Amino acid sequence: METDNKEKITVQFNTNISEDDTDIRIAFYANIGFFIEIAQMLEFNLRKLICYYKSVTEIEESEITRKNVERICKSYDDYYDKTYKDKYTLGKLTKELRKVQVIDSKILDKFDEINNYRIQVVHMIFQNNIIVDKLKDSKYVLDYNQNRLIPMINITDETNGFVIKTINTYKETLREYKAQVGIDIQD
């Protein structure tokens, strides 16, 4: 006789949300978690984009020597660390990108939309319980999932994909400059 050694998974949530349908409640929490994950990935990637863009731009504006490329790369490695130390949020990173004008303003507007929605989810829905009474109704929660949350997940995912492609373009250019001056390329 085989025994099931699989441990049970515990999921905690507010049972007042979608009171009459546990599946809708779990989907709501899962989608919020997924949205937050993708928004954090976008924030992480914006840091990288700023650093790659600024590195390449500065290298192109100076003499391309090993010393200059190493100095510039080091300065933007430090800048990257500073964005964490100084707690650059998605909003602040978007402002930085507006300054350097590396991305079209329509895409930057998407970053603002994503950031505003992230703030709404974290602060208004849960922290301030703004719509808690509406969230008791599973029909409202399902509608919110399908018509607001999932579309924002898709927008964030597509936007992040665009950012990754842009990063890769600058990353490849930076690698070419490093190779040109004899710097080993490390991933």
Coordinates of all heavy atoms in Angstrom, one line a residue, residues 58-88:
E58 N 27.3 57.0 -23.0 CA 28.6 57.7 -22.5 C 29.8 57.1 -23.3 O 30.7 57.9 -23.6 CB 28.7 57.5 -21.0 CG 29.8 58.4 -20.4 CD 29.8 58.4 -18.9 OE1 28.7 58.3 -18.3 OE2 30.9 58.5 -18.3
I59 N 29.8 55.9 -23.5 CA 31.0 55.3 -24.3 C 31.0 55.9 -25.7 O 32.1 56.3 -26.2 CB 30.9 53.7 -24.4 CG1 31.2 53.1 -23.0 CG2 31.8 53.2 -25.4 CD1 30.8 51.6 -22.9
E60 N 29.9 56.0 -26.3 CA 29.8 56.6 -27.7 C 30.2 58.1 -27.7 O 30.6 58.6 -28.7 CB 28.4 56.4 -28.3 CG 28.2 54.9 -28.6 CD 26.8 54.6 -29.1 OE1 25.9 55.5 -28.9 OE2 26.6 53.5 -29.6
E61 N 30.0 58.8 -26.6 CA 30.4 60.2 -26.5 C 31.8 60.4 -26.1 O 32.3 61.6 -26.1 CB 29.4 60.9 -25.5 CG 28.0 61.0 -26.0 CD 27.1 61.5 -24.9 OE1 27.5 61.6 -23.7 OE2 25.9 61.8 -25.3
S62 N 32.6 59.4 -25.8 CA 34.0 59.5 -25.4 C 34.8 58.7 -26.3 O 34.4 58.0 -27.1 CB 34.1 59.1 -23.9 OG 33.8 57.7 -23.8
E63 N 36.1 58.8 -26.0 CA 37.1 57.9 -26.7 C 36.9 56.5 -26.2 O 36.8 56.2 -25.1 CB 38.5 58.4 -26.4 CG 39.6 57.7 -27.2 CD 41.0 58.2 -26.9 OE1 41.1 59.1 -26.1 OE2 41.9 57.6 -27.5
I64 N 36.8 55.6 -27.2 CA 36.6 54.2 -26.9 C 37.9 53.5 -26.6 O 38.6 53.0 -27.5 CB 35.8 53.5 -28.0 CG1 34.4 54.2 -28.2 CG2 35.5 52.0 -27.6 CD1 33.6 53.6 -29.4
T65 N 38.2 53.6 -25.3 CA 39.5 52.9 -24.8 C 39.1 52.0 -23.7 O 38.0 52.1 -23.1 CB 40.5 53.9 -24.3 OG1 39.9 54.5 -23.1 CG2 40.9 55.0 -25.3
R66 N 40.0 51.0 -23.4 CA 39.7 50.1 -22.3 C 39.4 50.8 -21.0 O 38.5 50.5 -20.3 CB 40.9 49.1 -22.2 CG 40.6 48.1 -21.1 CD 41.8 47.1 -21.0 NE 41.6 46.1 -20.0 CZ 41.3 44.8 -20.3 NH1 41.3 44.4 -21.5 NH2 41.0 44.0 -19.3
K67 N 40.3 51.8 -20.7 CA 40.2 52.5 -19.5 C 38.8 53.2 -19.4 O 38.1 53.2 -18.4 CB 41.3 53.5 -19.4 CG 41.3 54.3 -18.1 CD 42.5 55.3 -18.0 CE 42.5 56.0 -16.7 NZ 43.6 57.0 -16.7
N68 N 38.4 53.9 -20.5 CA 37.1 54.6 -20.5 C 35.9 53.6 -20.3 O 35.0 53.9 -19.6 CB 36.9 55.4 -21.7 CG 37.6 56.8 -21.6 OD1 37.9 57.2 -20.6 ND2 37.8 57.4 -22.8
V69 N 36.0 52.5 -21.1 CA 34.9 51.6 -21.0 C 34.8 50.9 -19.6 O 33.7 50.8 -19.1 CB 35.0 50.5 -22.1 CG1 34.0 49.3 -21.9 CG2 34.9 51.1 -23.5
E70 N 35.9 50.6 -19.0 CA 35.9 50.0 -17.7 C 35.4 51.1 -16.7 O 34.6 50.7 -15.8 CB 37.3 49.6 -17.3 CG 37.8 48.3 -17.9 CD 39.2 48.0 -17.6 OE1 40.0 48.9 -17.3 OE2 39.5 46.8 -17.8
R71 N 35.8 52.3 -16.8 CA 35.4 53.4 -15.9 C 33.8 53.6 -16.0 O 33.1 53.6 -15.0 CB 36.1 54.7 -16.2 CG 35.7 55.9 -15.3 CD 36.3 57.2 -15.7 NE 36.1 57.5 -17.1 CZ 34.9 57.9 -17.7 NH1 33.9 58.2 -16.9 NH2 34.9 58.2 -19.0
I72 N 33.4 53.6 -17.2 CA 32.0 53.9 -17.5 C 31.1 52.7 -17.0 O 30.1 52.9 -16.3 CB 31.7 54.2 -19.0 CG1 32.3 55.5 -19.3 CG2 30.2 54.1 -19.3 CD1 32.4 55.8 -20.8
C73 N 31.5 51.5 -17.3 CA 30.8 50.3 -16.8 C 30.8 50.3 -15.3 O 29.7 50.0 -14.7 CB 31.4 49.0 -17.4 SG 31.1 48.9 -19.1
K74 N 31.9 50.6 -14.6 CA 31.9 50.6 -13.2 C 31.0 51.7 -12.6 O 30.3 51.4 -11.6 CB 33.4 50.9 -12.7 CG 33.6 51.2 -11.2 CD 33.4 49.9 -10.4 CE 33.8 50.2 -8.9 NZ 32.7 50.3 -8.0
S75 N 31.0 52.8 -13.2 CA 30.1 53.9 -12.7 C 28.6 53.5 -12.8 O 27.9 53.8 -11.9 CB 30.4 55.2 -13.4 OG 29.8 55.2 -14.7
Y76 N 28.3 52.8 -13.8 CA 26.8 52.4 -14.0 C 26.5 51.1 -13.2 O 25.4 50.9 -12.8 CB 26.4 52.4 -15.4 CG 26.3 53.8 -15.9 CD1 27.2 54.3 -16.8 CD2 25.3 54.6 -15.4 CE1 27.2 55.6 -17.2 CE2 25.3 56.0 -15.8 CZ 26.2 56.5 -16.7 OH 26.2 57.8 -17.1
D77 N 27.5 50.3 -12.9 CA 27.3 49.2 -11.9 C 27.0 49.9 -10.5 O 26.1 49.4 -9.8 CB 28.6 48.3 -11.8 CG 28.7 47.4 -13.0 OD1 27.8 47.3 -13.8 OD2 29.8 46.9 -13.1
D78 N 27.8 50.9 -10.2 CA 27.5 51.6 -8.9 C 26.2 52.3 -8.9 O 25.4 52.3 -7.9 CB 28.6 52.7 -8.7 CG 30.0 52.0 -8.4 OD1 30.0 50.8 -8.1 OD2 31.0 52.8 -8.5
Y79 N 25.8 52.9 -10.0 CA 24.5 53.6 -10.2 C 23.4 52.5 -10.0 O 22.4 52.8 -9.3 CB 24.4 54.2 -11.6 CG 23.0 54.8 -11.8 CD1 22.7 56.1 -11.4 CD2 22.1 54.2 -12.5 CE1 21.5 56.7 -11.6 CE2 20.8 54.7 -12.8 CZ 20.5 56.0 -12.3 OH 19.3 56.5 -12.5
Y80 N 23.5 51.4 -10.6 CA 22.6 50.3 -10.4 C 22.4 50.0 -8.9 O 21.2 49.9 -8.5 CB 23.0 49.0 -11.2 CG 22.1 47.9 -11.1 CD1 21.0 47.8 -11.9 CD2 22.3 46.9 -10.2 CE1 20.1 46.7 -11.8 CE2 21.5 45.8 -10.1 CZ 20.4 45.7 -10.9 OH 19.5 44.6 -10.8
D81 N 23.5 49.8 -8.2 CA 23.4 49.5 -6.8 C 22.7 50.7 -6.0 O 21.9 50.4 -5.1 CB 24.8 49.3 -6.2 CG 25.4 48.0 -6.7 OD1 24.7 47.1 -7.2 OD2 26.6 47.9 -6.6
K82 N 23.0 51.9 -6.5 CA 22.4 53.1 -5.8 C 20.9 53.1 -6.0 O 20.2 53.5 -5.1 CB 23.0 54.3 -6.5 CG 22.5 55.6 -5.9 CD 23.1 56.8 -6.7 CE 22.7 58.2 -6.3 NZ 21.5 58.4 -5.8
T83 N 20.4 52.6 -7.1 CA 18.9 52.6 -7.3 C 18.2 51.7 -6.3 O 17.1 52.0 -5.9 CB 18.5 52.1 -8.7 OG1 18.9 50.8 -8.9 CG2 19.1 53.0 -9.8
Y84 N 18.9 50.7 -5.8 CA 18.3 49.9 -4.7 C 18.5 50.5 -3.4 O 17.6 50.6 -2.6 CB 19.0 48.5 -4.7 CG 18.4 47.5 -5.7 CD1 19.1 47.3 -6.9 CD2 17.2 46.9 -5.5 CE1 18.5 46.4 -7.9 CE2 16.6 46.1 -6.5 CZ 17.3 45.8 -7.6 OH 16.8 45.0 -8.6
K85 N 19.7 51.0 -3.2 CA 20.0 51.7 -1.9 C 19.1 52.9 -1.7 O 18.5 53.1 -0.6 CB 21.5 52.1 -1.8 CG 21.9 52.7 -0.5 CD 23.3 53.1 -0.5 CE 23.3 54.6 -0.5 NZ 24.4 55.3 -0.9
D86 N 18.8 53.6 -2.7 CA 18.0 54.8 -2.6 C 16.5 54.5 -2.9 O 15.7 55.4 -3.0 CB 18.5 55.9 -3.6 CG 19.9 56.5 -3.1 OD1 20.3 56.1 -2.0 OD2 20.5 57.2 -3.9
K87 N 16.2 53.3 -3.0 CA 14.8 52.8 -3.2 C 14.1 53.4 -4.4 O 13.0 54.0 -4.2 CB 14.0 53.0 -1.9 CG 14.7 52.2 -0.8 CD 13.9 52.4 0.5 CE 14.6 51.6 1.6 NZ 14.2 51.8 2.9
Y88 N 14.7 53.4 -5.5 CA 14.1 53.8 -6.7 C 12.9 52.9 -7.0 O 13.0 51.7 -7.2 CB 15.0 53.8 -7.9 CG 16.0 54.9 -8.0 CD1 16.6 55.5 -6.9 CD2 16.4 55.4 -9.3 CE1 17.5 56.5 -7.0 CE2 17.3 56.5 -9.4 CZ 17.8 57.0 -8.2 OH 18.7 58.0 -8.3

